[in-house]
Amino acid sequence: MKADRNMLYDNGRVFDGRQVFPAGHAVLVDAGRVQAVGPQDSFAGYEGPRFDLGGDTLLPGLIDCHVHLTMSGDGKTVTGQGNGHAALTLQALENAQASLRGGITALRDCGGVDHVEFAVRDACNAGRFLGPFIRVSGKVICMTGGTKWKIARVADGPQEVVKAVREQLLAGCDCIKLMATGAVLHAGTDIEDAQYTEEELAAGVAEARRFRKPTAAHAIGTQGILNAARAGVTSVEHGMFMTDETVRLMLERQIYLVPTLAAVEQVLLNPQAVPAASLAKAQRVAARHRESVGMYHRAGGRIVMGADTGTLCNPHGNNAQELRYMVACGMSEHSALVGATSLAADLLNLPDRGVLAPGYWADMLIVRGDPFNDIDQVADRRNHRLVIKGGQVVAGPEFGLT
Ligand SMILES: [Zn+2]
């Protein structure tokens, strides 16, 4: 199937990123973009090629708002020794392509290494290599000794934080990542410690905002979430120790929550493969984390999908499993899928992705059955039939079907 060829995907259930249309709907794609969505009767005069959905579900390609392309789930952080940078760039490209095959047609890297992932973004977004559409944060910005300091731009005090933001802007970042607290997977940091002060975070947010860039704050403990919310970040990543106060403040400021539940769940599922300290932290936070996601959901907060792939035992390509964990926190299948499509596109500032409507890119996923009854139809990639990027079939057991 070529991107320049038109195709009618008919006889299926269609989720357009916002609402579900029952069986008997169709999507017409032409030149890589969606032409029309409607009941299949409305395409009665159409005589071009068709793809029979057979009652299955067509939805926008999934958008993952939090991955690490330069990490591969093995706990190693490559920092450019020897052929490190060259090898790491290729690995990041492989990881991006693995995500695409797993149904992720757009993603945001939430912290890389020496900006090597920027080359991968540029190559994929220009169509020189097959891959998802990519947004990048650049180096995470943290305090001395803070989370991920080995690969971060370490900056102390508001003025230095401003400079660190400017460096990421100079490198060509799409957003800014600030580390507000310790981390589950970073040895020697206490997860509940706030790291950056509200003042430092606010300085970073203000500088990013001057150049129209959103900010993401890694924030696990309550005080760090409060600091980040008061500083006005665009999204809180992880948000494990939410309270009524954090919920209220985040709602008031319409801050997105990117829970990254898979990062913790994968550690719990692979106890033999992770350091004892990380396992103990994961065990300590897991229930509280789920409860926090449920709290923000019930309060009406915006929650989007971010699988944190690249972290321990959390390989690229299995990103969609995050949806199962979101539903397990009490989110409906519908709200989880909105959070992985149209709402995620809003956070990533993707004006023509994440929704199936005329003029949008035909980034699509076809899955068996009805994911609104059983989220595993999307969350378990074995139920994916086809992944389509810009109208072109890029993965699936039926790959190459004409
Ligand atoms: Zn992360």
Side-chain angles (χ1 to χ4, degrees):
M1 263 183 241
K2 286 269 158 42
D4 55 358
R5 203 170 120 190
N6 65 339
M7 179 68 72
L8 183 70
Y9 295 85
D10 69 354
N11 187 31
R13 181 182 299 99
V14 174
F15 172 59
D16 71 358
R18 295 179 181 127
Q19 55 174 322
V20 195
F21 301 100
H25 273 72
V27 175
L28 179 62
V29 170
D30 192 29
R33 293 195 183 245
V34 175
Q35 284 269 306
V37 180
Q40 61 196 62
D41 300 352
S42 59
F43 300 96
Y46 175 81
E47 286 178 352
R50 289 168 183 267
F51 181 95
D52 185 359
L53 294 166
D56 285 339
T57 304
L58 174 67
L59 65 154
L62 305 176
I63 299 176
D64 192 322
C65 299
H66 188 131
V67 310
H68 299 282
L69 293 175
T70 48
M71 292 156 57
S72 298
D74 55 7
K76 289 189 191 126
T77 301
V78 184
T79 47
Q81 297 110 352
N83 70 347
H85 280 113
L88 189 57
T89 310
L90 292 173
Q91 183 65 61
L93 176 61
E94 253 185 88
N95 290 342
Q97 292 178 338
S99 307
L100 180 63
R101 289 195 299 275
I104 307 299
T105 53
L107 58 80
R108 176 173 72 167
D109 187 280
C110 262
V113 175
D114 295 334
H115 303 124
V116 303
E117 69 284 0
F118 285 39
V120 175
R121 171 199 60 183
D122 294 343
C124 292
N125 292 3
R128 283 187 280 130
F129 286 93
L130 185 65
F133 190 86
I134 299 174
R135 295 281 196 212
V136 293
S137 324
K139 293 184 184 182
V140 304
I141 302 175
C142 78
M143 68 170 208
T144 295
T147 295
K148 288 204 178 176
W149 61 269
K150 286 183 183 166
I151 55 168
R153 164 58 161 94
V154 174
D156 293 310
Q159 213 167 347
E160 214 180 320
V161 170
V162 166
K163 186 163 190 210
V165 169
R166 289 178 184 169
E167 286 172 10
Q168 307 319 304
L169 292 166
L170 173 65
C173 72
D174 301 301
C175 61
I176 295 291
K177 174 87 178 288
L178 300 157
M179 308 305 264
T181 69
V184 174
L185 298 173
H186 185 122
T189 62
D190 190 300
I191 38 178
E192 292 193 62
D193 279 352
Q195 293 186 347
Y196 270 141
T197 62
E198 183 188 331
E199 194 192 8
E200 287 170 314
L201 291 167
V205 169
E207 192 61 12
R209 198 175 280 155
R210 287 205 312 129
F211 299 95
R212 298 165 302 282
K213 302 296 182 202
T215 40
H218 164 103
I220 289 178
T222 304
Q223 187 57 50
I225 300 171
L226 286 173
N227 289 344
R230 288 183 185 130
V233 298
T234 318
S235 62
V236 162
E237 313 295 308
H238 319 303
M240 293 182 185
F241 289 85
M242 298 275 270
T243 59
D244 290 342
E245 194 185 4
T246 66
V247 166
R248 187 179 48 75
L249 202 60
M250 284 176 62
L251 268 181
E252 223 174 77
R253 310 208 164 178
Q254 304 209 349
I255 295 171
Y256 293 80
L257 174 65
V258 189
T260 73
L261 295 150
V264 175
E265 300 292 347
Q266 289 305 105
V267 166
L268 297 179
L269 287 171
N270 297 280
Q272 74 296 339
V274 298
S278 292
L279 178 62
K281 285 200 246 185
Q283 285 166 338
R284 183 153 80 82
V285 299
R288 187 70 173 81
H289 191 192
R290 293 183 204 116
E291 188 192 326
S292 292
V293 177
M295 281 168 74
Y296 200 50
H297 173 63
R298 286 191 300 278
R302 297 169 170 178
I303 303 180
V304 296
M305 186 179 84
D308 217 354
T309 51
T311 55
L312 271 180
C313 306
N314 188 12
H316 300 273
N318 288 341
N319 315 52
Q321 67 175 336
E322 178 72 11
L323 289 163
R324 178 186 308 135
Y325 301 132
M326 290 162 80
V327 168
C329 292
M331 292 179 72
S332 65
E333 288 81 357
H334 185 267
S335 49
L337 287 166
V338 167
T341 55
S342 58
L343 197 60
D346 290 343
L347 173 60
L348 269 50
N349 188 24
L350 302 170
D352 53 6
R353 297 178 195 274
V355 171
L356 301 180
Y360 282 73
W361 284 106
D363 291 355
M364 311 190 295
L365 176 63
I366 300 171
V367 303
R368 292 180 213 292
D370 181 3
F372 296 92
N373 266 326
D374 177 6
I375 197 64
D376 271 348
Q377 300 301 322
V378 179
D380 183 341
R381 59 182 297 181
R382 287 172 298 186
N383 295 319
H384 295 182
R385 283 182 65 188
L386 285 180
V387 182
I388 297 155
K389 168 96 189 303
Q392 192 175 0
V393 174
V394 292
E398 298 168 58
F399 186 82
L401 199 81
T402 53

